[in-house]
Amino acid sequence: MNDPNFRQIGEPVPGGIVLVSDHASNFVPEDIPLGVTQDQLNDHIGWDIGVAAIAERMARRHAIPAHLAAVSRLVVDLHREEDHAKLIPQDSDGVLIPGNLGADREWRLERFYRPYHDAMAAWLDAAQPGLIVSLHSFTPQLADNPDEQRPWEVGLLYNEQGEAARHAIRLFQEYGLTVGDNEPYSGKLLNATMNRHAEAHGRPYLAIEVRNDLIRDEGGQARWADMIASVARGVRELV
């Protein structure tokens, strides 16, 4: 199913695994002039690099259906609560977003945010999944904090429900990876979509962050799609 705010690939199976991704697109509608360049939109401030291709591969090769955002995080950040200060970011990693200064918050919520989350809620209610994979990627180094070290190749984020994440951490470590436990940031501070659609309903989930330098090309995307699918299947058997 395709919509201006989201697209869905594949059909969920009750008790199976599904995938969601809030930052899978860098599309900006023509009637919202943000004042940023296409190169900036193509970078990590515009979307989570690599996740759309991984999600598509997981849906088509591994039968893990996906619900993917179809608008850039710079238009509205779907991975924030409605009242979050950075729902409509005025800057991102040192880049000013002039088109967001004085933006009509309620209009963007109604046009983009609520339809995306309402559709996800209905999709998950119908699917009754056994495990949700929430897929993101992170940049190795932030421009506005160049001294911060981000050595993890993949991170697992969680708030109150950490059982599935702990299983996934172990399974990713078995691949020889450097795995972050609530890194590169904590799910106890930033976990909006999974708080709403997973933890609030008692649904097991994996909030996965992949370092984006590892998934910028087709080879890396294929490798990580296979690994994430394998880890998700392993966790599904344990939760």
Side-chain angles (χ1 to χ4, degrees):
M1 179 180 179
N2 292 321
D3 179 274
N5 298 304
F6 65 89
R7 57 194 179 105
Q8 294 174 349
I9 309 172
E11 294 295 330
V13 175
I17 304 168
V18 298
L19 182 149
V20 302
S21 187
D22 302 324
H23 299 150
S25 174
N26 63 353
F27 173 72
V28 177
E30 291 184 1
D31 60 340
I32 301 181
L34 292 181
V36 297
T37 68
Q38 188 60 50
D39 283 345
Q40 288 169 328
L41 285 171
N42 291 342
D43 203 355
H44 72 97
I45 68 168
W47 63 341
D48 280 356
I49 293 167
V51 300
I54 291 175
E56 290 166 5
R57 188 177 184 92
M58 288 175 66
R60 303 188 194 286
R61 299 288 183 92
H62 298 282
I64 296 177
H67 176 94
L68 307 176
V71 67
S72 173
R73 65 196 302 172
L74 297 184
V75 174
V76 62
D77 195 330
L78 300 164
H79 189 40
R80 299 290 188 274
E81 294 82 6
E82 287 197 13
D83 61 353
H84 197 283
K86 294 188 177 181
L87 179 84
I88 302 174
Q90 297 185 0
D91 61 86
S92 181
D93 199 15
V95 177
L96 180 68
I97 318 298
N100 285 346
L101 302 178
D104 186 333
R105 187 185 191 93
E106 183 63 23
W107 181 72
R108 293 204 196 176
L109 283 167
E110 279 294 310
R111 179 173 171 183
F112 304 107
Y113 185 98
R114 290 173 185 144
Y116 171 82
H117 280 288
D118 289 348
M120 185 189 295
W123 188 71
L124 291 171
D125 285 345
Q128 291 299 308
L131 181 71
I132 303 170
V133 174
S134 176
L135 185 61
H136 293 264
S137 69
F138 66 97
T139 189
Q141 187 176 53
L142 290 167
D144 63 3
N145 191 8
D147 294 329
E148 180 188 19
Q149 299 298 313
R150 288 178 150 187
W152 313 281
E153 292 159 290
V154 61
L156 275 296
L157 278 53
Y158 54 91
N159 185 9
E160 298 299 327
Q161 292 179 210
E163 179 188 3
R166 286 188 286 272
H167 289 307
I169 289 169
R170 174 179 55 80
L171 292 171
F172 276 121
Q173 287 173 336
E174 290 177 0
Y175 282 100
L177 299 171
T178 301
V179 186
D181 183 341
N182 260 340
E183 299 288 359
Y185 54 86
S186 174
K188 295 186 181 298
L189 300 176
L190 185 58
N191 201 51
T193 296
M194 289 298 94
N195 284 343
R196 174 175 178 173
H197 295 287
E199 293 207 357
H201 301 272
R203 294 166 175 154
Y205 69 93
L206 298 175
I208 298 175
E209 290 268 359
V210 182
R211 205 175 69 212
N212 68 29
D213 60 319
L214 304 174
I215 54 173
R216 287 177 175 265
D217 60 32
E218 187 175 349
Q221 291 156 5
R223 176 173 178 257
W224 278 90
D226 292 348
M227 281 197 296
I228 294 169
S230 178
V231 168
R233 285 193 293 266
V235 172
R236 175 66 189 92
E237 296 299 316
L238 296 170
V239 297

